[in-house]
């Protein structure tokens, strides 16, 4: 999942009896890597250097970079280019959501992933991206190709995952409605939700504190200031650790609100269900191609934000004499896997009778939020020290 430049996470859980009492999250992610873009002409940075640095969510990075550089140079993309970039990034987000469902959810249930759907996911999302071209600098949408690619991907998702259709799934508004859907559907997500019911660890119920829209002036000050490195490594906003990603974006939907208000495992179920909601919502939105009502991403004077499958990605650029003078990147992993962030809070206090069970509980929590890099899990007690890896 992660390349040599993307680092990883070490998550250490200290146990007292059968409960986690202390969580320590250490990151080896190279949060200074964007400085390798400094001194380069913008076109070289976007076309040559950036793709070599970031493989996970690479298209989102390229789109954010292009928006930020255009903002720094006082330029702006036209509507067709904005639409093409949206399709480009959505194709990547859909790919990541689908791969997590097909690769990770079976493993959490103790099963092996099926290779057939994985190959289809890659082919179908590549076809969707191809409808917007390959170059984020000079993108253009081929409408007929886009319509055909969206229809093919939607048909696959409705057949393999969202029985009854994307629109009907978005119409589910209660936890009981989701349980009823899961009992009736013969798909992988339905089987996973049935399996998850009653298995979520106690102690993982944590309130959602969504990352709000970040005001440009204070955000630029934080990214341009002397303490920029501690901020991008362990970001907080208004004195609080925030959460970004599918649940934070979709938290106002009735289904997710009802799940979050449910007793027991509703919080964890809401996080997995939010991924399915985003899948359905993205396909519904792409089924209506065009620039009418197209929302532009937030771009202000060298600052751009793009929503990735795992959360909000921010690029900050300053240009001088046709070269990049300063480059900063604020990624979603640093919000969600902050040492005092949502994953740490969810892990703290979970209980299990055996180390193997505890590792399973921890994996559920971690995958529900989803890091973009591999992680290593370490359990510690006075009599036990075990590790478990994930890639």
């Amino acid at each position: 999942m992660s390349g040599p430049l993307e680092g990883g996470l070490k998550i250490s859980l200290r146990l007292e009896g059968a409960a986690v009492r202390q969580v320590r999250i250490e990151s080896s992610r190279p949060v200074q890597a964007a400085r390798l873009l400094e001194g380069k002409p913008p076109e070289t940075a976007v076309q040559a250097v950036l793709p070599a640095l970031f493989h996970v969510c690479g298209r989102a990075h390229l789109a954010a970079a292009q928006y930020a550089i255009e903002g720094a140079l006082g330029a702006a993309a036209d509507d067709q280019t904005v639409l093409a970039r949206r399709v480009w990034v959505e194709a990547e987000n859909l790919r990541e959501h689908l791969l997590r469902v097909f690769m990770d959810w079976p493993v959490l249930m103790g099963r092996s992933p099926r290779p057939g759907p994985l190959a289809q996911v890659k082919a179908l999302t590549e076809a969707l991206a191809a409808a917007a071209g390959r170059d984020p600098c000079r993108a253009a949408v081929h409408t007929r190709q886009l319509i055909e690619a969206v229809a093919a991907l939607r048909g696959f998702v409705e057949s393999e995952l969202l029985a009854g259709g994307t629109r009907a799934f978005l119409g589910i508004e209660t936890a009981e409605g989701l349980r009823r859907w899961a009992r009736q559907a013969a798909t992988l997500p339905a089987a996973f939700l049935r399996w998850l019911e009653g298995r979520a660890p106690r102690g993982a119920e944590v309130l959602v504190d969504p990352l709000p829209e970040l005001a440009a002036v204070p955000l630029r000050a934080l990214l341009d200031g002397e303490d920029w490195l501690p901020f991008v490594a362990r970001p907080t906003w208004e004195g609080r650790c925030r959460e970004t990603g599918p649940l934070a974006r979709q938290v106002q939907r009735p289904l997710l609100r009802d799940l979050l208000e449910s007793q027991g495992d509703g919080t964890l179920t809401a996080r997995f269900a939010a991924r399915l909601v985003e899948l359905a919502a993205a396909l519904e939105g792409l089924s209506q191609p065009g620039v009418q009502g197209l929302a532009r991403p937030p771009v202000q004077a060298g600052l751009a934000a793009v929503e990735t499958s795992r959360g909000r990605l921010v690029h900050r650029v300053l240009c001088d004499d046709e070269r990049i003078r300063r480059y900063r990147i604020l990624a979603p992993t640093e919000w969600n896997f902050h040492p005092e962030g949502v994953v740490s809070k969810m892990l703290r206090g979970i209980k299990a009778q055996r180390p193997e069970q505890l590792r399973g509980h921890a994996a559920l929590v971690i995958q529900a939020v989803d890091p973009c890099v591999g992680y290593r899990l370490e359990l510690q007690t006075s009599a036990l020290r075990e590790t478990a890896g994930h890639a």
Side-chain angles (χ1 to χ4, degrees):
M1 285 295 298
S2 58
L5 288 176
E6 283 147 0
L9 299 170
K10 178 184 174 184
I11 302 173
S12 303
L13 309 182
R14 182 170 295 280
L15 281 63
E16 290 183 11
V20 175
R21 295 304 182 206
Q22 184 179 4
V23 178
R24 184 175 182 181
I25 299 179
E26 301 172 88
S27 174
S28 62
R29 283 170 46 76
V31 293
Q32 297 190 64
R35 299 197 66 181
L36 295 173
L37 300 165
E38 296 173 357
K40 308 287 192 302
E43 188 170 350
T44 300
V46 172
Q47 295 184 356
V49 182
L50 196 71
L53 291 178
F54 303 104
H55 303 290
V56 177
C57 298
R59 288 170 179 163
H61 275 286
L62 285 171
Q66 195 61 44
Y67 282 127
I69 288 169
E70 287 166 353
L73 297 176
D78 60 32
D79 285 346
Q80 284 295 329
T81 299
V82 172
L83 176 61
R85 288 177 189 166
R86 177 201 164 194
V87 173
W88 218 48
V89 173
E90 285 281 34
E92 180 173 74
N93 290 349
L94 285 164
R95 178 181 183 274
E96 289 299 309
H97 284 320
L98 288 165
L99 289 180
R100 299 285 65 76
V101 173
F102 282 112
M103 291 175 63
D104 296 343
W105 293 14
V107 173
L108 290 170
M109 292 189 289
R111 305 176 184 177
S112 297
R114 293 162 50 208
L118 296 176
Q120 286 181 276
V121 165
K122 293 173 183 178
L124 289 167
T125 53
E126 279 301 311
L128 178 59
R134 303 287 182 180
D135 185 350
C137 306
R138 291 171 287 276
V141 171
H142 304 281
T143 304
R144 178 174 293 181
Q145 187 178 349
L146 173 61
I147 292 171
E148 293 173 352
V150 171
L153 183 55
R154 184 173 180 169
F156 169 76
V157 168
E158 292 182 340
S159 171
E160 292 282 338
L161 302 182
L162 300 181
T166 53
R167 193 167 303 169
F169 187 84
L170 290 174
I172 301 173
E173 295 190 345
T174 65
E176 179 54 37
L178 184 65
R179 282 192 290 270
R180 187 164 52 249
W181 176 86
R183 288 194 299 266
Q184 296 171 351
T187 63
L188 171 58
F192 179 77
L193 291 173
R194 293 195 303 268
W195 172 87
L196 183 62
E197 192 169 3
R199 280 185 169 85
R202 301 296 179 183
E205 301 89 351
V206 172
L207 294 176
V208 182
D209 193 359
L211 182 65
E213 290 299 323
L214 302 177
V217 172
L219 182 57
R220 277 200 298 265
L222 287 166
L223 293 172
D224 293 343
E226 292 184 0
D227 293 330
W228 70 272
L229 185 55
F231 173 67
V232 299
R234 297 184 175 184
T236 60
W237 192 255
E238 297 176 340
R240 305 205 306 269
C241 297
R242 303 302 188 108
E243 175 179 348
T244 185
L247 183 57
R249 289 189 289 254
Q250 304 293 335
V251 71
Q252 293 305 317
R253 289 188 180 267
L255 169 60
L256 300 177
R257 289 205 310 268
D258 194 48
L259 284 168
L260 291 171
E261 292 168 2
S262 300
Q263 297 296 315
D265 56 10
T267 301
L268 200 63
T269 301
R271 296 181 185 281
F272 287 106
R275 189 181 295 279
L276 301 177
V277 168
E278 288 228 319
L279 273 170
L283 287 167
E284 282 292 314
L286 288 170
S287 296
Q288 303 170 14
V291 298
Q292 292 283 335
L294 179 67
R296 286 176 171 267
V299 180
Q300 297 190 39
L303 185 70
V306 170
E307 294 292 341
T308 75
S309 64
R310 296 172 178 89
R312 192 172 309 157
L313 174 68
V314 175
H315 280 223
R316 167 65 171 151
V317 182
L318 288 176
C319 293
D320 185 20
D321 296 328
E322 299 184 349
R323 290 183 178 271
I324 292 172
R325 179 160 58 90
R326 179 180 300 154
Y327 210 115
R328 307 283 188 258
I329 293 177
L330 177 58
T333 298
E334 276 59 63
W335 292 102
N336 294 335
F337 288 82
H338 187 289
E340 299 299 324
V342 61
V343 171
S344 179
K345 292 175 182 175
M346 290 175 70
L347 289 171
R348 200 174 300 136
I350 63 174
K351 299 178 181 180
Q353 298 302 314
R354 304 179 309 278
E356 188 66 29
Q357 185 183 32
L358 184 63
R359 283 198 297 270
H361 287 347
L364 269 175
V365 168
I366 294 165
Q367 292 303 324
V369 179
D370 185 19
C372 69
V373 293
Y375 69 86
R376 185 161 60 94
L377 182 65
E378 184 176 89
L379 312 183
Q380 300 177 347
T381 68
S382 56
L384 171 69
R385 185 183 181 91
E386 297 192 11
T387 62
H390 171 84

